[in-house]
Amino acid sequence: MKRRSLLTDAGSERLSQAIQSHYQAQNLRVNSRQIAQTAQLPVETTIKILYRQQGCDLKTIKTLFQAFDLRVQRDDLETVRTDLREETEVQPEPLPLGFGRAAVLDQLKQQLQGDTWVVAIAGMAGIGKTTLAQALISDPALREAYPLVLAVNVSQAALELVAIGRQVLGEALTHRAQQAGGVSALVQAIGAKLQSQPCLLWLDGFNGVPSSAVQELLAQVVMGEEMRSRLILTVETPPLFPSPRCQQLDLDGLDLPTIATLFQQWGVPLATASDRDCLRTIHSTYHGHPLALKIIAGEIRSRPYSGNIRAYWQDYGYEYEIAATNPDQAATPTPTRSLSDWVLTLLERASQRLAQQMPLAYELLCMGATNRQFASEQGWQFLIGEVEPEVQASTMAMLRDRFWLESITMNTVPHYRIPPLLRKIILKTTPPHPPEVERG
């Protein structure tokens, strides 16, 4: 056990007022990095002192006080005892795939087990369409009804229909159908196979509206008298034909209780009313957009914030409160500034911060963004193979911790890729030559 010092309520208030006065006199917005720079202390240490996350040695606390022309008084501090033994972190139980979407999942499962032959899950990028589809194709009841499960990412193919044909028919039969009668023959062959063999087919990765050839296939499916297979589409823009056999779901963001549970699952405690108020405003700004909020949680749970949502709010809350300083702009989506604009702005700013704070991790993202597909950790580390193996591993861990990578398991081995919307952001902001990084 070691004796450490922690700010009291009075000490915290006195220091906060001094910091506010210091930066107001310079007409500067207060943030943790500026405070740390003024005191010549590490940002993480500064945050822990200011928000009383952890006891600290008296000398360091005095340094912070002196930087803002204060002397430590007796009632500014209390003494705490710190156990220096390393604590074992208790990992929470994993949440089920599609957590927070139980009602929607039940609705879609009932449709797919009934007279609906095609379900189209529509929504903006990052809203959770892929996760919902993954939960559906993993459902035991659906897998029992449709033993053959196929997933086709058409974004990885120049011709959507051909990509579908290769999965449903195989390479040889797809080529034969194309040779025999072109698109129409291939549509007929795929449709016939889906009619005759129970299959759960998931089509993902459409760039806009599905092509005319795919829409011809979908029309054949829904207009047939019998269909033993079921199709799941994840699209930003749904197909352009109405049919009772085709149901569309416009997916919204997650509700606040779900996001609160996820934040705590991700290592962002919500212990105080101030914590919960911060989350409430962030949730409202982004309408529960899962990917946007996950990236925010990734920043909060990583250094220097280490799970402190109030410290993050102190630094970046202005991004959500534009209306407080600029009445000409709204702090929530409007007809002239859509939710997608807000999400893209958030992700661009997060990528800029990553480039500044972790240049090697950002460089790895820039290189990895050229590949749409999942790759093993070894494949990712190969891209920065000139640095030490320990640095390669820690760089990958940084990206995982900040949720810039999503994973699947292939043959018991985890594989990673950048989520499509984040990949779009990285490719948009990638300089012609990745930033030079000092190699360790």
Side-chain angles (χ1 to χ4, degrees), residues 141-247:
L142 288 177
R143 292 186 75 95
E144 182 178 355
Y146 308 101
L148 179 61
V149 177
L150 299 175
V152 184
N153 190 322
V154 297
S155 68
Q156 299 176 16
L159 297 173
E160 296 172 350
L161 186 67
V162 173
I164 297 169
R166 286 170 177 162
Q167 285 290 322
V168 176
L169 302 173
E171 185 78 37
L173 290 179
T174 297
H175 180 72
R176 188 181 306 168
Q178 284 183 289
Q179 293 290 91
V183 170
S184 296
L186 184 54
V187 167
Q188 291 293 326
I190 296 172
K193 183 64 176 289
L194 294 174
Q195 287 177 341
S196 63
Q197 180 177 5
C199 169
L200 189 60
L201 175 61
W202 170 27
L203 305 181
D204 185 33
F206 291 103
N207 295 315
V209 179
S211 67
S212 58
V214 172
Q215 295 211 47
E216 184 180 341
L217 171 64
L218 296 175
Q220 177 178 324
V221 168
V222 298
M223 289 190 298
E225 295 183 0
E226 183 179 350
M227 176 56 58
R228 300 183 66 190
S229 295
R230 297 293 184 267
L231 277 67
I232 302 168
L233 277 67
T234 43
V235 293
E236 292 188 33
T237 306
L240 300 177
F241 58 90
S243 169
R245 301 291 192 188
C246 177
Q247 298 294 326

Side-chain angles (χ1 to χ4, degrees), residues 16-210:
S16 296
Q17 288 179 358
I19 291 171
Q20 289 290 343
S21 298
H22 177 85
Y23 290 110
Q24 283 176 1
Q26 302 178 54
N27 198 28
L28 294 173
R29 186 184 297 276
V30 181
N31 67 58
S32 302
R33 294 185 185 280
Q34 286 179 334
I35 298 170
Q37 185 175 7
T38 300
Q40 297 184 348
L41 292 173
V43 179
E44 190 170 7
T45 301
T46 303
I47 289 173
K48 287 180 178 178
I49 295 173
L50 289 173
Y51 294 92
R52 295 182 283 178
Q53 281 182 279
Q54 185 175 305
C56 192
D57 63 272
L58 181 58
K59 180 180 178 181
T60 302
I61 294 177
K62 284 183 175 180
T63 299
L64 183 56
F65 270 66
Q66 290 166 1
F68 296 96
D69 300 322
L70 291 177
R71 294 186 65 180
V72 175
Q73 298 176 359
R74 181 175 299 178
D75 61 351
D76 289 334
L77 301 177
E78 60 180 317
T79 301
V80 294
R81 294 184 179 276
T82 304
D83 189 346
L84 297 181
R85 292 175 298 179
E86 188 172 328
E87 294 184 3
T88 303
E89 184 177 352
V90 178
Q91 295 294 331
E93 290 294 323
L95 297 173
L97 191 63
F99 176 75
R101 305 281 197 190
V104 172
L105 279 169
D106 287 343
Q107 173 190 334
L108 292 174
K109 284 191 290 186
Q110 289 177 12
Q111 290 173 343
L112 290 169
Q113 290 173 316
D115 295 330
T116 298
W117 296 346
V118 177
V119 295
I121 306 171
M124 66 175 292
I127 201 68
K129 304 183 298 294
T130 298
T131 301
L132 196 59
Q134 288 173 334
L136 285 172
I137 65 172
S138 302
D139 181 75
L142 288 177
R143 292 186 75 95
E144 182 178 355
Y146 308 101
L148 179 61
V149 177
L150 299 175
V152 184
N153 190 322
V154 297
S155 68
Q156 299 176 16
L159 297 173
E160 296 172 350
L161 186 67
V162 173
I164 297 169
R166 286 170 177 162
Q167 285 290 322
V168 176
L169 302 173
E171 185 78 37
L173 290 179
T174 297
H175 180 72
R176 188 181 306 168
Q178 284 183 289
Q179 293 290 91
V183 170
S184 296
L186 184 54
V187 167
Q188 291 293 326
I190 296 172
K193 183 64 176 289
L194 294 174
Q195 287 177 341
S196 63
Q197 180 177 5
C199 169
L200 189 60
L201 175 61
W202 170 27
L203 305 181
D204 185 33
F206 291 103
N207 295 315
V209 179

